[in-house]
Amino acid sequence: MKPVSELRAVNQPIRKKDYKALVTGQPVYTQDLAPADCLVVKLLRSPHASALVEDIDVSRAELVPGIACVLTWRDVPQIRFTQAGQSYPEGSPYDRYILDRRVRYVGDPVAIVAGETQEAVERALKLIKVTYQVLEPVLDFRTALDNPNVVHPEEDWKILYEQGSEVKRNLICHEESADGDVEAVLADCDVVVDETYHTVSNNQTMMETFRAFSYLDTYGRLNIVPSTQIAFHVRRIVSTALGIPKSKVRVIKPRIGGGFGAKQTVEAEIYPAIVTWRTGNPAMIVYSREEATTCGCPRHEMEIRVRIGADRDGHIRGISMYTLSNGGAYGEHSTTTVGLSGHKAISLYGKLEAYAFRADVVYTNLQPAGAYRGFGATQGIHAVESAVDELAHRLNMDPARIREQNLVREGQIMPSYFGERNTSCTLDQCLARVKEMIGWEEKYPRRVLPNGHIRGVGLAMAMQGSAISGIDVGGATLKVGDEGMVNLLIGAADMGTGCDTTLAQVAAECLEIPVDQVVTAQVDTDTSPYDSGSYASSTAFLTGGAVYKCAQTLIEKIRAEAARQRGWPVEETEYHDGLVEHLPSGEKVSLAEVAYASECGGVPIIATENHTCPNSPPPFMAGAAEIDLDPETGKVTLVEYDAVVDCGTPLNPNLARVQTEGGIVQGIGMALTETVRYNPDGSLIERNFLQYKIPTRQDICPIHVEFAPSYEPQGPFGAKSIGEVVIDTPCPAIANALENACGVRIREMPITAEKVWRELNRR
């Protein structure tokens, strides 16, 4: 690969290819593209957290003018499936029906109603009469294990491979890993911190809620157009749930109005699909904001006990973690998120003599959890990075200094990260630079202002991964057309990250042509190469790797076709700058000329490659926060947030920067304002944006982002991922800043004024 200094398309701040359509409000999203005659689909949802449907009478609802169908559990296939969009065989349990007689949380679907107008459907919903046998729910995840009330008593529950599941104990999965004797190491440490940290559930709050429409095409195939991150997984999951062949299902992904992991779950697609399959009519479902908030797939609530030990000089010798995770009513993503809470937090520290990690995920009768940016690592990093600060205080050390002594470095083997070698890392540079940006030496630990407010600074480190090693697949097809235009077909979903642009930059760099000459197509499971989808920080690294490989194959085909047309020996040719040169004669032929001649000669110039990787090189980040505390009220205001990221070579620095800023804002919301609470009956309290407080522009302090590039040899032009690591530092950095300001440690997110005030007054 070229050195970074010679790159012309990659590592350049090129505008997103679709920026004009987005800023001018062009019809690019799912609902914009739906046929005008789509049936309106809505769901009747359970008002109970746990109940059996004894009887359901839909006769009056079916009489409402304009109603096309009313479906209950009697009318749909009874096939267990999972909504988790993961590579097959999915790690998540097959624990759902499309509609079930047993409802397991407030909001669980009981009936599907489809009609010509929204008014008709809403009237029909009110006329359905359901008789429930209300059961005792399991609402506290701390008491779920071995609770006498079993969330999933059914006999056809299954999981595709062993993960320590004991469903009759409400145990979705159990995990253990270790290296060395951590108990002996901790017993020999001079100082040991033993604390428990609690992160509540959080909603992804993407601007575009869950939605999809479906129709039958000329050949009687079911076409689904959803707002999704995982087009190919949607096809498999819908075909499984409906009991029809995948060959009968086509999925087309339009522009996505945000996902952040929520749309890695097939939350809405099945409902219009079953309506279309039953009636033959196009159908569309659009979740209201309340539905997306109360019946979506938010972050897993986790309680994490951390024991961390060190010598008096600050050498961190051992870390032990136990994570208890709340899967909610169904197990989507439960088995895969929980491991990240340990493996991606413990691995930040490279001098450990031993570690141990254990985890349990349990069922409860609450909203099922799912994927959210950070995917379990966010919760674990908050716990470990908070515990490291508490350890530093007990050792009377600067928290930055203890990290500088112990952080993982390039070349080290990471036993807690599946034994991988750290092949690229500038975490030390990230930490050093973020200290300068925040003014650590001048501001640590606190300053008291003339008005009595207290300023404090705190910092934290994070690492994530680059795709799921050895499992997920990126795919790319490149095709040369008229005038040398190159079509790029991918299966990865651009959900606002700009991958349609950054992947075109990779192709353009390889082919040495302008980025505008590369046209990126939207995902279509009929025409796009297979790709696992946009999740697990995979797109830049994994699909980018596929694009790179594909471009090399295409160049060889371009050379071969040019040689065939001109009668040159192919070994005497060279490709550069969009030209094929015959080296002995110096004669050159352009890509456009080769393309025109190939069309006349009937020889297509097209290449397809996929890419997987046995490793998952982690990106790294250091973040620092300055807070202002009003000790009279307990109110914490963020004054400044600084961050430095190692994502290898940024494919597009501008897009990488805005991704980082967006992730930081989400992390700030998680740290200070966002919470999910339930009433005693299991219904959600925070049901809309008036109650669920996400930060707005007026709430956010100045955010400064810089990069400390490394070079990852396994990534395209040295790139690693950036999508998830950017959300991981605000929670611990802000919690650490608060303790530095006033000595108060809040171990349960979010940090509210009430919690701080009570703790200040208790002391």
Side-chain angles (χ1 to χ4, degrees), residues 49-50 98-99 144 191 282 326 337 377 381 415 492 514 546 550 589 594 678 711 714 726:
S50 181
I98 298 173
L99 296 172
V191 177
N326 184 357
T337 52
I381 287 169
C550 190
V589 58
V594 175
Y678 290 89
Y711 189 90
Q714 300 172 94
V726 294

Side-chain angles (χ1 to χ4, degrees), residues 478-487 507-508 510-514 517-518 551 554-562 565-566 568 574-581 588-599 603-606:
L478 287 167
K479 180 177 65 172
V480 181
D482 291 354
E483 298 180 346
M485 175 190 74
V486 176
N487 291 105
C510 295
L511 298 172
E512 299 181 1
I513 59 177
Q517 201 170 325
V518 180
L554 189 74
I555 287 170
E556 294 308 306
K557 292 192 173 187
I558 293 168
R559 289 177 58 213
E561 176 58 13
Q565 293 172 10
R566 298 302 176 100
W568 301 329
E574 184 177 90
Y575 178 90
H576 59 84
D577 297 314
L579 301 166
V580 179
E581 180 178 1
K588 298 175 183 177
V589 58
S590 71
L591 186 56
E593 292 175 283
V594 175
Y596 276 128
S598 73
E599 290 179 348
V603 180
I605 308 176
I606 186 170

Side-chain angles (χ1 to χ4, degrees), residues 34-80:
D37 61 345
C38 269
L39 294 175
V40 175
V41 178
K42 288 187 176 293
L43 306 176
L44 180 70
R45 298 183 179 275
S46 167
H48 306 293
S50 181
L52 289 173
V53 177
E54 292 185 334
D55 187 44
I56 182 165
D57 182 357
V58 302
S59 57
R60 294 178 64 201
E62 290 175 327
L63 295 176
V64 174
I67 292 300
C69 67
V70 181
L71 305 178
T72 71
W73 62 272
R74 300 185 184 98
D75 309 304
V76 299
Q78 297 293 287
I79 302 170
R80 293 285 175 195

Side-chain angles (χ1 to χ4, degrees), residues 451-454 629-635 742 756-757 760-761:
N451 63 358
H453 285 209
I454 307 170
L629 170 67
D630 181 348
E632 291 188 356
T633 64
K635 182 180 180 181
C742 65
V756 177
W757 184 86
L760 285 169
N761 279 270

Side-chain angles (χ1 to χ4, degrees), residues 140-145 170-174 196-199 300-305 321-327 338 341 357-364 379:
D140 185 348
F141 78 125
R142 298 178 185 88
T143 63
L145 191 63
N170 290 328
L171 181 63
I172 301 175
C173 70
H174 173 79
T196 299
Y197 305 87
H198 181 205
T199 52
H300 287 76
E301 176 186 22
M302 291 186 185
E303 189 170 81
I304 302 175
R305 181 188 177 192
M321 290 181 69
Y322 171 69
T323 299
L324 178 64
S325 178
N326 184 357
V338 72
S341 69
F357 172 63
R358 292 188 307 116
D360 291 315
V361 190
V362 293
Y363 280 120
T364 60
Q379 298 95 306

